[in-house]
Amino acid sequence: MISALNRLVDLVEEHLTGEFDVDGLARALGTTEYHLRRMFSSLAGMPLSEYVRRRRMTVAAADVVRGVDDLLSIAIRHGYGSTEAFGRAFRAVHGAGPGDVRRDGGPLRAQPQLRFRLTVEGSIPMDTRIVDRPPFRLVGHAARVPLIHQGINPHIQQHVTALPMEEHLRLKALSDTEPAGLLQVCDELEPDGTEGSELTYLHGAAVSRDTPAPDDLDAIEVPAGMWAVFRTSGPYPQALQTTWAATATEWFPSNPWRLRPGPAITAVLERADDFSTATCELWLPVEPT
């Protein structure tokens, strides 16, 4: 995976002024575009699309400062059809328009070329198991919410707290298959995992495929497949978010598995009364590499 990500970085550099085929590269490297984008975002701390934009604007800035070509020629060279579109992208990266930078020589915010390297970590073993599950169904109350990487997501919190206590008990009683108990489900995640991008959040339970979903509940059909299950305990939600990040930085690079499209599921096994600490299981859909 480390070599695959570095080849992806090389591909970006080779096509800074044009389009490039991420899916083709992934297939040539024996992985998938979905997994490659998810790993890039997790390890680089930014989506692939944002890295490409920053690198293009870094190289474009040299052309702007050099002052040999007009701004429209530079815009077209770097994949923009107008100086207005180029100017917006340029300002988003550098904090100033290309005309200002040409006149003043700055400010410029360069994005260095990324290089991924393997470091020796993982001194604390991750409590993980691989589960092969038949098709099942997730039922509960769903809402579209923005993705937030750190801390409590207030949109999810508002969605869950709006449900009466008897509804939580009803959902828990519906559970008849793994993952057991009340579940926090994130579905339709973008591969890049961009902060603020929308996802479907479902608060509910897992039932077998033959169990009918009550008419007043939303349902997500989950096909058969393998799951990596990570157990975590500690401050909530910080310990869970740390484990989620560690799957990308430690577990996937050193294990013969990759992410596949599907919902990410959190089962809360035990928790403090005020939910300040919890023991959870994070279920991620995987397939062999």
Side-chain angles (χ1 to χ4, degrees):
M1 180 48 57
I2 298 299
S3 62
L5 290 170
N6 284 326
R7 182 67 191 98
L8 178 58
V9 169
D10 292 339
L11 190 68
V12 170
E13 294 301 309
E14 293 166 9
H15 296 82
L16 281 176
T17 59
E19 298 301 318
F20 56 95
D21 184 8
V22 181
D23 180 58
L25 174 67
R27 282 188 280 107
L29 295 172
T31 186
T32 64
E33 180 179 357
Y34 182 87
H35 183 71
L36 200 58
R37 285 183 178 272
R38 286 287 296 270
M39 290 300 100
F40 184 96
S41 175
S42 298
L43 295 174
M46 72 182 91
L48 175 61
S49 56
E50 175 64 15
Y51 173 70
V52 171
R53 184 170 67 107
R54 292 184 187 183
R55 282 297 299 149
R56 283 177 173 165
M57 290 302 102
T58 296
V59 174
D63 291 342
V64 170
V65 173
R66 194 176 296 118
V68 175
D69 298 319
D70 60 82
L71 294 180
L72 179 58
S73 298
I74 296 173
I76 293 172
R77 182 183 307 141
H78 292 280
Y80 294 85
S82 67
T83 55
E84 290 77 13
F86 175 71
R88 287 192 296 271
F90 192 94
R91 184 179 293 275
V93 171
H94 297 291
D100 298 327
V101 167
R102 171 161 285 185
R103 183 188 65 241
D104 302 329
L108 295 174
R109 297 171 184 164
Q111 170 62 57
Q113 182 177 344
L114 287 178
R115 216 70 200 156
F116 294 93
R117 292 184 173 87
L118 182 64
T119 59
V120 179
E121 295 181 353
S123 58
I124 300 176
M126 297 184 72
D127 188 354
T128 312
R129 60 192 172 103
I130 302 295
V131 180
D132 190 2
R133 297 285 291 117
F136 62 94
R137 180 180 292 125
L138 296 163
V139 298
H141 297 275
R144 295 291 288 174
V145 300
L147 175 63
I148 295 177
H149 290 299
Q150 297 293 328
I152 294 173
N153 187 318
H155 307 278
I156 292 177
Q157 187 179 44
Q158 182 180 9
H159 174 65
V160 174
T161 56
L163 299 174
M165 181 55 66
E166 56 268 23
E167 187 62 15
H168 295 279
L169 297 175
R170 174 198 174 205
L171 291 171
K172 188 174 183 179
L174 286 173
S175 173
D176 65 5
T177 190
E178 278 199 303
L182 276 176
L183 306 177
Q184 304 165 1
V185 180
C186 294
D187 194 24
E188 299 176 331
L189 281 162
E190 290 184 358
D192 283 341
T194 309
E195 179 99 2
S197 61
E198 281 202 336
L199 60 95
T200 296
Y201 175 83
L202 182 137
H203 183 76
V207 299
S208 62
R209 185 175 60 175
D210 297 330
T211 301
D215 293 337
D216 61 331
L217 296 181
D218 301 300
I220 298 173
E221 300 293 334
V222 183
M226 307 290 289
W227 297 79
V229 184
F230 303 88
R231 190 181 181 95
T232 180
S233 297
Y236 183 87
Q238 293 83 359
L240 177 63
Q241 291 169 337
T242 297
T243 297
W244 197 317
T247 64
T249 59
E250 298 180 29
W251 195 81
F252 280 110
S254 57
N255 285 276
W257 299 92
R258 66 188 177 205
L259 283 167
R260 58 181 173 86
I265 305 170
T266 299
V268 180
L269 307 180
E270 298 176 1
R271 68 178 182 89
D273 292 339
D274 61 357
F275 225 142
S276 58
T277 62
T279 297
C280 304
E281 282 189 342
L282 173 63
W283 289 61
L284 297 179
V286 297
E287 60 188 5
T289 55

